[in-house]
Amino acid sequence: MSILIKPIITEKATMQSETLNAYAFEVNTKANKVEIKKAVEAAYGVSVEKVRTINVRPERKTKFTKTGIQHGKTNAVKKAIVQLAEGESIDLYANM
């Protein structure tokens, strides 16, 4: 089971990494805070102070087509915001 799926690189996440030393990741929906902390420490070699998680609900969509109404939804996602110890950082652009 892979805990960390991918880092989230948006304007808000970049601002948090620069000002608050907090990085956002998309994680497995069944992972808990302790597992996320261990996975980030193992993958990036940093010490984690705090982990905050967010369950993002699926977005429901409806299309009106010639054949009728089509219903669908996106996948549910779990995000984790990981705050690192003072003086440590993660270079997310090094692997690209």
Side-chain angles (χ1 to χ4, degrees):
M1 175 171 108
S2 178
I3 306 261
L4 297 176
I5 297 173
K6 64 180 179 179
I8 298 172
I9 301 173
T10 59
E11 289 183 24
K12 185 175 181 179
T14 305
M15 185 187 67
Q16 284 183 344
S17 66
E18 293 171 355
T19 58
L20 302 174
N21 203 23
Y23 296 87
F25 294 94
E26 186 176 320
V27 296
N28 190 333
T29 55
K30 297 186 183 206
N32 59 28
K33 292 182 180 186
V34 176
E35 293 172 341
I36 294 167
K37 179 179 178 179
K38 288 179 182 177
V40 170
E41 288 176 344
Y44 295 103
V46 294
S47 60
V48 176
E49 280 188 355
K50 185 191 294 188
V51 177
R52 293 173 288 168
T53 59
I54 305 156
N55 285 312
V56 180
R57 64 189 160 110
E59 181 180 339
R60 302 203 181 272
K61 297 182 179 183
T62 303
K63 287 191 223 175
F64 298 96
T65 63
K66 285 193 282 186
T67 58
I69 299 174
Q70 301 292 321
H71 297 285
K73 67 180 181 104
T74 59
N75 292 332
V77 177
K78 187 171 194 176
K79 296 179 187 179
I81 299 173
V82 178
Q83 187 165 357
L84 302 182
E86 190 69 33
E88 295 197 9
S89 65
I90 297 174
D91 188 13
L92 298 175
Y93 301 105
N95 296 336
M96 292 183 176

